[in-house]
């Protein structure tokens, strides 16, 4: 192997289009090794900068740790259940998938399975192959005028809605992470009560990722909500439905039929509930072929290979599964607020340090039109601004090594719970508000960006102030009495520290004030102690925003 080229390992059969991209790249060297054992794969991992897989290769923590040179893992497909995302993120390894490559293939298989189960096509075909002519036995139903519930209105769910409308179906959808205007554009009624929607649907089809929230989402209890004689389709991910419970629902007649392409464990064991003979006439099962079209396999391999090379070359790429967002996809205003959120994280952490208590909860509220269209792509995915805030907050204690990728994981390690909310902004056009809960009380901040494009912090705890989070800031709480500002200025001047700007907030009736000074010069512990002693300060801290962007 040429030591000056990126070494790429392909562990499974993928589309030739993707392989040709690697073969034709002057800075890449391709190595195809299919059918390796776990031990063999782990042993050779140190040789490679990138690995391209499909669903049959498990990239667990052991293999990822063995890949000392590894920079990117590509998945020629959508699901990344076989890749330990947390382990990859902690190593700074980008995980790439190809979410759009098989969208149409998966949507078309869903419709095929829907028609197959409702018209009992496989059973009729098997009967004919068995030498029988049983027209009256295979009485089916029509999709026309039936109510379809789509659980998960993402890329595939959206394509399903279009095709269902072509069959004259009434389409409703459940997806708490999709804005109303997207549902409106698809002419789909968005519902917020899953079990209530299930009780109204003639056909239910699932199109969500497998997460903690969606694991066994369709369980015994949920199945009781189904309309008698309804149909269930799962061409999304195994593990979303409780398989034994679904088999019982078909057996009992609560479900008229069930079709699936995915399973909790693949391949199926001989005693799998879906292989029971007494329900075979009402179940349609396929061996995870959702992406198995010539077109889809070519496209997913192309997308994965192209983006893997872009990662290795340090060029802009897309479809990074473990990057919480793509910064280059944000517009100028969004990037300004992203920068502001990171600075708020730095400031919040510094103020928490004054209390001498670690944060245990971080609540972020985003208000205004800028955030209204901020669509999260999957359940449990934090918004970019929250992640930027976490990054800034953790940089104070850990350092600049904290990345957007690892910040949520580090917060989880420190048992910091995170929640988000949104709403309308009244006083300002758009605002970011953070409340950091500690054992010794909360730290709260409110910030905005003016029409002139200036970042402003407008509230610190109970004090309304107005200062720009830039450069070096001296932030303090002081006794609100005459002469304090003069004392502070004199002490800083004696230390050769110049004041570039000054902001003060007062809380009526408290006898206290809060100040923020942008300064030129260095402060040390001795100067801060002097300010505390002779500047009537209750506390003081320095926040350096020089490297925050």
């Amino acid at each position: 192997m040429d030591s000056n080229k990126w070494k790429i390992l392909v562990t499974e059969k993928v589309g030739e289009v993707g392989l040709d991209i690697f073969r034709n790249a002057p800075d890449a060297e391709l190595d195809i090794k299919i059918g390796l054992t776990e031990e063999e794969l782990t042993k050779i991992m140190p040789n490679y900068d990138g690995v391209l897989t499909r669903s049959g290769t498990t990239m667990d923590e052991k293999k990822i740790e063995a890949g000392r040179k590894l920079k990117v893992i590509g998945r020629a497909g959508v699901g990344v259940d076989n890749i330990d995302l947390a382990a990859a993120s902690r190593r700074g390894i980008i995980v790439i998938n190809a979410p759009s490559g098989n969208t149409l293939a998966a949507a078309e298989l869903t419709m095929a399975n829907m028609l197959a189960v409702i018209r009992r096509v496989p059973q009729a075909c098997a009967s004919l192959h068995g030498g029988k002519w049983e027209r009256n036995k295979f009485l089916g139903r029509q999709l026309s005028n039936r109510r379809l519930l789509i659980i998960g209105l993402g890329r595939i769910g959206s394509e399903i809605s279009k095709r269902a409308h072509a069959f004259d179906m009434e389409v409703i959808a459940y997806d708490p992470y999709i804005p109303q205007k997207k549902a409106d554009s698809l002419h789909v009624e968005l519902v917020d009560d899953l079990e209530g929607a299930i009780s109204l649907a003639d056909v239910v089809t699932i199109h969500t990722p497998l997460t903690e929230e969606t694991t066994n989402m369709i369980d015994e209890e949920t199945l009781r909500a189904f309309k008698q004689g309804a149909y269930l389709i799962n061409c999304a991910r195994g593990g979303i439905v409780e398989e034994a419970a679904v088999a019982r629902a078909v057996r009992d007649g609560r479900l008229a039929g069930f079709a699936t392409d995915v399973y909790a464990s693949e391949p199926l064991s001989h005693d799998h509930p879906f292989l029971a003979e007494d329900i075979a006439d009402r179940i349609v099962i396929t061996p995870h072929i959702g992406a198995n079209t010539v077109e889809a396999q070519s496209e997913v391999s192309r997308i994965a290979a192209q983006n893997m090379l872009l990662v290795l070359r340090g060029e802009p790429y897309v479809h990074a599964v473990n990057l919480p967002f793509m910064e280059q996809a944000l517009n100028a205003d969004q990037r300004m607020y992203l920068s502001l959120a990171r600075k708020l994280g730095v400031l919040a952490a510094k103020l928490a340090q004054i209390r001498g208590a670690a944060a245990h909860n971080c609540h972020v509220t985003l208000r205004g039109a800028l955030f209204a269209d901020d669509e999260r792509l999957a359940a449990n995915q934090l918004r970019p601004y929250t992640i930027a805030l976490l990054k800034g907050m953790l940089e104070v204690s850990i350092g600049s090594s904290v990345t957007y990728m690892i910040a949520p994981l580090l917060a989880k390690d420190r048992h910091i719970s995170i929640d988000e909310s949104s709403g309308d902004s009244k006083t300002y056009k758009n605002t970011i508000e953070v409340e950091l809960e500690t054992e010794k009380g909360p730290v709260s901040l409110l910030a905005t960006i003016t029409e002139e494009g200036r970042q402003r912090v407008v509230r610190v705890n109970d004090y309304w102030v107005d200062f720009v989070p830039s450069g070096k800031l001296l932030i303090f709480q002081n006794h609100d009495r005459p002469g304090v500002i003069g004392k502070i200025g004199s002490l800083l001047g004696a230390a050769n520290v110049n004041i570039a700007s000054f902001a003060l907030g007062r809380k009526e009736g408290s006898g206290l004030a809060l100040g923020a000074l942008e300064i030129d010069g260095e402060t040390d512990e001795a100067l801060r102690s002097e300010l505390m002693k002779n500047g009537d300060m209750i506390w003081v801290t320095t926040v350096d925003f020089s490297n925050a962007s």
Side-chain angles (χ1 to χ4, degrees):
M1 286 189 177
D2 188 338
S3 60
N4 296 318
K5 293 185 176 184
W6 303 113
K7 311 301 188 302
I8 310 293
L9 173 65
V10 176
T11 64
E12 296 178 67
K13 185 177 180 180
V14 300
E16 285 294 319
V17 173
L19 298 179
D20 286 341
I21 288 173
F22 290 134
R23 291 180 181 123
N24 296 329
D27 54 351
E29 189 164 330
L30 179 63
D31 200 356
I32 302 173
K33 294 183 180 293
I34 298 173
L36 295 175
T37 65
E38 295 285 298
E39 292 75 16
E40 290 170 338
L41 182 55
T42 303
K43 186 176 180 180
I44 66 171
M45 281 303 299
N47 301 325
Y48 297 98
D49 302 285
V51 176
L52 178 60
T53 75
R54 290 184 64 193
S55 60
T57 301
T58 301
M59 291 299 295
D60 54 22
E61 184 174 7
K62 184 177 180 181
K63 297 186 189 71
I64 289 170
E65 288 298 323
R68 293 186 291 271
K69 295 169 53 182
L70 202 56
K71 299 171 183 63
V72 60
I73 300 170
R75 166 71 161 89
V78 180
V80 288
D81 305 350
N82 56 315
I83 301 171
D84 190 329
L85 296 180
S89 297
R90 292 183 190 281
R91 287 280 314 282
I93 298 167
I94 303 296
V95 178
I96 293 289
N97 73 342
S100 58
N102 60 10
T103 297
L104 293 180
E108 289 181 2
L109 181 70
T110 299
M111 296 306 298
N113 276 358
M114 192 183 301
L115 287 164
V117 71
I118 204 168
R119 292 299 302 270
R120 304 177 68 189
V121 174
Q123 291 82 4
C125 179
S127 172
L128 199 58
H129 276 291
K132 301 174 183 177
W133 187 265
E134 302 174 301
R135 295 182 62 197
N136 294 332
K137 182 178 178 180
F138 300 106
L139 183 66
R141 307 293 293 269
Q142 294 178 175
L143 294 181
S144 180
N145 296 318
R146 300 291 171 187
R147 182 180 287 116
L148 172 68
L149 169 62
I150 302 173
I151 302 177
L153 198 61
R155 285 180 298 271
I156 297 172
S158 297
E159 293 298 330
I160 295 298
S161 73
K162 298 173 187 176
R163 286 152 179 77
H165 281 307
F167 280 90
D168 290 326
M169 299 187 80
E170 177 188 345
V171 184
I172 61 177
Y174 172 82
D175 192 327
Y177 304 101
I178 292 295
Q180 182 65 49
K181 73 173 191 177
K182 177 173 181 179
D184 292 343
S185 71
L186 293 167
H187 307 290
V188 172
E189 179 187 352
L190 201 59
V191 295
D192 56 13
D193 176 9
L194 177 59
E195 291 196 1
I198 284 174
S199 70
L200 299 173
D202 300 296
V203 183
V204 176
T205 182
I206 302 168
H207 301 285
T208 71
L210 180 65
T211 66
E212 290 183 12
E213 186 179 3
T214 63
T215 297
N216 287 333
M217 178 171 61
I218 307 298
D219 57 12
E220 183 66 50
E221 182 178 351
T222 309
L223 284 163
R224 294 193 191 103
F226 275 73
K227 178 191 291 189
Q228 186 77 21
Y231 295 85
L232 174 62
I233 318 294
N234 181 23
C235 290
R237 307 303 300 171
I240 295 175
V241 305
E242 191 176 309
E243 295 173 339
V246 169
R248 285 194 298 271
V250 174
R251 184 173 292 110
D252 297 342
R254 286 178 286 155
L255 287 178
F258 172 64
T260 188
D261 183 51
V262 290
Y263 312 89
S265 179
E266 300 176 3
L268 300 187
S269 61
H270 67 88
D271 58 348
H272 193 281
F274 294 161
L275 297 177
E277 290 187 10
D278 62 336
I279 59 173
D281 62 335
R282 285 162 288 164
I283 280 189
V284 173
I285 52 178
T286 48
H288 204 151
I289 59 171
N292 278 18
T293 66
V294 172
E295 297 85 352
Q297 287 307 299
S298 292
E299 186 63 4
V300 296
S301 68
R302 181 191 66 80
I303 292 170
Q306 282 184 344
N307 283 286
M308 285 178 67
L309 281 178
L310 291 172
V311 170
L312 292 170
R313 292 167 177 166
E315 299 174 8
Y317 53 88
V318 294
H319 304 318
V321 177
N322 59 337
L323 268 185
F325 61 93
M326 298 301 294
E327 190 170 356
Q328 64 264 34
L330 302 179
N331 63 37
D333 289 339
Q334 290 170 326
R335 287 197 294 271
M336 281 286 287
Y337 273 94
L338 191 75
S339 167
L340 178 61
R342 181 183 170 194
K343 292 176 180 179
L344 283 181
V346 172
L347 180 55
K350 294 290 285 189
L351 295 177
Q353 279 185 346
I354 294 167
R355 298 180 183 272
H360 58 79
N361 177 266
C362 178
H363 181 77
V364 180
T365 304
L366 304 171
R367 300 185 187 277
L370 180 82
F371 308 113
D373 296 332
D374 182 25
E375 179 183 328
R376 287 178 286 182
L377 300 181
N380 302 325
Q381 182 175 325
L382 296 173
R383 298 188 186 192
Y385 315 99
T386 301
I387 294 163
L389 192 142
L390 291 175
K391 172 177 163 60
M393 190 172 79
L394 292 165
E395 282 176 335
V396 173
S397 56
I398 299 174
S400 59
S401 62
V402 179
T403 63
Y404 290 129
M405 182 194 299
I406 202 172
L409 292 171
L410 292 174
K412 185 176 181 180
D413 289 346
R414 285 156 177 74
H415 304 288
I416 301 172
S417 61
I418 305 154
D419 57 289
E420 301 171 311
S421 61
S422 59
D424 297 328
S425 182
K426 298 177 181 178
T427 306
Y428 303 96
K429 189 174 181 181
N430 301 290
T431 61
I432 299 178
E433 183 175 359
V434 57
E435 181 167 310
L436 207 60
E437 294 181 16
T438 77
E439 293 179 357
K440 297 184 179 180
V443 172
S444 62
L445 300 168
L446 179 68
T448 189
I449 296 177
T450 65
E451 294 292 336
E452 296 78 25
R454 295 275 283 176
Q455 297 177 340
R456 317 290 297 197
V457 176
V458 294
R459 197 185 74 222
V460 176
N461 295 329
D462 296 325
Y463 297 89
W464 289 96
V465 290
D466 190 346
F467 63 89
V468 178
S470 64
K472 293 179 182 177
L473 289 182
L474 194 72
I475 299 179
F476 56 88
Q477 187 179 39
N478 64 284
H479 295 286
D480 188 15
R481 47 195 176 214
V484 170
I485 302 305
K487 290 180 184 179
I488 294 171
S490 296
L491 291 168
L492 290 174
N496 201 32
V497 175
N498 187 48
I499 298 175
S501 64
F502 178 84
L504 184 70
R506 306 171 68 186
K507 185 165 64 172
E508 292 297 329
S510 69
L512 301 174
L514 185 137
L517 282 71
E518 184 179 357
I519 56 175
D520 300 323
E522 298 297 328
T523 63
D524 55 19
E525 190 57 41
L527 177 57
R528 287 191 289 271
S529 296
E530 183 70 15
L531 288 166
M532 289 281 290
K533 181 181 178 180
N534 297 313
D536 280 337
M537 290 186 180
I538 299 166
W539 56 259
V540 60
T541 188
T542 305
V543 185
D544 191 350
F545 291 113
S546 301
N547 297 319
S549 59

